[in-house]
Amino acid sequence: MDRLDNTIRPYAWGSTTAIPALLGTEPTGEPQAEMWMGAHPGAPSRTGRGTLVEVIDADPQGELGTAAVAKFGPRLPFLLKILAAGAPLSLQVHPNLAQAKEGYADEENRGIPIGAGHRNYKDANHKPELICALTEFDGLCGFRDPSQVADLLAGLDVDSLKPYVDLLRAHPEEAALREVLTAVLGADREDMARTVTEAATACARLGGDYAPYADIAHHYPGDPGVIAAMLLNHVRLQPGEALFLGAGIPHAYLNGLGVEIMANSDNVLRCGLTPKHVDVPELLRIVRFEASDPGVLRPEASPDGEEIYETPIDEFRLSRYVIPEGTPARDLTLPTPQILLCTAGSVRTGELELAPGQSVFVPANEKAEVSGPGTVFRATVVV
């Protein structure tokens, strides 16, 4: 197995303290948003044998296993991250696999450079993802019931929001949500900025259920995404709880530290809370306009102590072991590739000792035993 040396991405929304606190390092004063573990070409993990991309390319069958290569091709199909949000991320959705293939092919045919700021599809893959909280973690996930959104907006007593309240109360669910999001994102920017400012002042005054939106507005003053965010469910995860984000579900992470895993893709359609490109027509084509419960996940324990976060896709499978001191080593050997990530205590696997934030890549069929005391997350695939 290979100890991983991982890149930390300094996105502006990142916490300046959360990842250093996990790693036991001194903060630099700069944001540290995500630590990437995997074979994504943008920031592949490094090993003693080269980058993880180079290691897998040299022997896909040996590193990934026959079944994984047959199902997903000669590549690691997931990306594992530690995510540390100190400010809200952009409000966004991800396409399903058919939409991603269609969108990528269309932009390729139109000759849009892959690095262009207005490009939507960086690859032809979908991007389902799972976030598991290591600390209290705040996010937005899925649409509220339109009547609940209407009550929330009406409570602000902002005249320019009243037409949205009327729409939400007068139309069926899908039409109401679609019409209001379309109106918010298509409104005159100066008029909407004034509306957002007035709404943010009311949110700060009212507190309670409105407090998250006051904080969002503090970070993104005047952004239409502040009103769009009020259409969504606010969720506060406790450590160990998780959210699964499927295709078409609008979401945003607001604050906290978590372990995130996703299909190996960069495809994002943004709704707001960002200076980046917002393609409203394409966004409206991808979004699923239906109210939904956020569906907080809690792990399901197996007899051997593995706590599994069940999801409906195969590109990744995330689980957790909380290993008490003095218990026998657990055999984690699999016929599929694994990344093991320590998040608490001290975990030994083979000859390697892992402190919080440290990780290893375990090739398919390679012997992998772990002992504690500590907590280790296991990322692999379903074949």
Side-chain angles (χ1 to χ4, degrees):
M1 65 184 66
D2 299 274
R3 185 186 291 275
L4 298 180
D5 178 16
N6 303 306
T7 297
I8 296 176
R9 311 304 295 261
Y11 305 136
W13 49 261
S15 168
T16 59
T17 59
I19 288 179
L22 180 70
L23 299 178
T25 59
E26 286 296 318
T28 64
E30 299 298 317
Q32 297 186 32
E34 296 180 347
M35 186 168 75
W36 288 21
M37 291 157 280
H40 191 287
S45 298
R46 298 168 294 278
T47 78
R49 299 186 286 157
T51 70
L52 197 51
V53 170
E54 293 167 342
V55 168
I56 291 170
D57 284 349
D59 184 11
Q61 297 279 349
E63 300 295 334
L64 304 177
T66 303
V69 171
K71 188 165 185 175
F72 304 110
R75 60 184 182 86
L76 189 68
F78 64 82
L79 176 64
L80 184 67
K81 300 179 181 180
I82 292 174
L83 183 145
L89 282 68
S90 61
L91 192 62
Q92 60 190 257
V93 296
H94 306 303
N96 63 31
L97 189 55
Q99 291 164 339
K101 289 179 177 179
E102 180 185 345
Y104 180 78
D106 174 65
E107 291 186 331
E108 287 289 282
N109 289 337
R110 288 191 282 140
I112 301 175
I114 200 74
H118 64 289
R119 174 118 186 189
N120 293 315
Y121 297 95
K122 304 296 195 298
D123 53 68
N125 199 15
H126 63 164
K127 193 188 176 191
E129 61 190 42
L130 177 80
I131 183 78
C132 178
L134 295 178
T135 65
E136 270 199 350
F137 194 98
D138 282 275
L140 305 172
C141 178
F143 285 111
R144 298 175 187 261
D145 183 276
S147 64
Q148 295 175 353
V149 182
D151 291 344
L152 194 70
L153 295 180
L156 296 174
D157 196 26
V158 173
D159 286 345
S160 53
L161 292 177
K162 289 178 180 177
Y164 303 148
V165 174
D166 293 340
L167 281 172
L168 289 161
R169 288 178 172 161
H171 294 275
E173 177 180 288
E174 180 179 352
L177 295 170
R178 179 183 292 276
E179 288 180 32
V180 171
L181 183 62
T182 302
V184 168
L185 298 181
D188 178 84
R189 294 289 296 194
E190 290 186 5
D191 289 344
M192 180 52 66
R194 286 191 290 269
T195 295
V196 171
T197 299
E198 192 175 347
T201 301
C203 286
R205 183 184 72 251
L206 293 167
D209 290 345
Y210 293 96
Y213 307 102
D215 185 64
I216 292 169
H218 170 75
H219 290 285
Y220 298 98
D223 193 303
V226 175
I227 305 302
M230 297 186 75
L231 303 179
L232 307 187
N233 298 294
H234 173 247
V235 186
R236 175 163 293 168
L237 300 177
Q238 297 303 312
E241 295 180 335
L243 286 175
F244 173 72
L245 291 313
I249 302 297
H251 62 278
Y253 302 144
L254 304 181
N255 186 272
L257 180 70
V259 174
E260 186 183 34
I261 189 167
M262 63 191 63
N264 209 354
S265 171
D266 273 340
N267 288 326
V268 175
L269 281 299
R270 296 176 178 86
C271 314
L273 310 183
T274 178
K276 295 182 179 180
H277 177 59
V278 177
D279 184 336
V280 175
E282 185 65 8
L283 170 74
L284 296 175
R285 189 177 77 87
I286 297 301
V287 171
R288 289 165 53 186
F289 288 98
E290 56 187 45
S292 61
D293 185 282
V296 174
L297 295 177
R298 295 172 183 85
E300 298 182 13
S302 64
D304 70 348
E306 185 179 22
E307 300 177 334
I308 304 165
Y309 294 90
E310 297 285 357
T311 66
I313 53 96
D314 293 342
E315 282 90 341
F316 62 76
R317 176 182 180 274
L318 186 71
S319 61
R320 180 181 71 167
Y321 288 86
V322 180
I323 307 170
E325 187 169 8
T327 56
R330 288 169 166 81
D331 185 357
L332 271 58
T333 307
L334 287 176
T336 51
Q338 306 180 66
I339 292 178
L340 304 179
L341 165 67
C342 177
T343 58
S346 178
V347 175
R348 174 169 287 278
T349 176
E351 299 300 315
L352 301 177
E353 194 85 23
L354 301 182
Q358 295 182 337
S359 56
V360 295
F361 174 74
V362 185
N365 299 305
E366 182 162 322
K367 185 71 171 177
E369 289 188 338
V370 296
S371 56
T375 299
V376 63
F377 281 82
R378 170 202 255 180
T380 187
V381 298
V382 179
V383 294

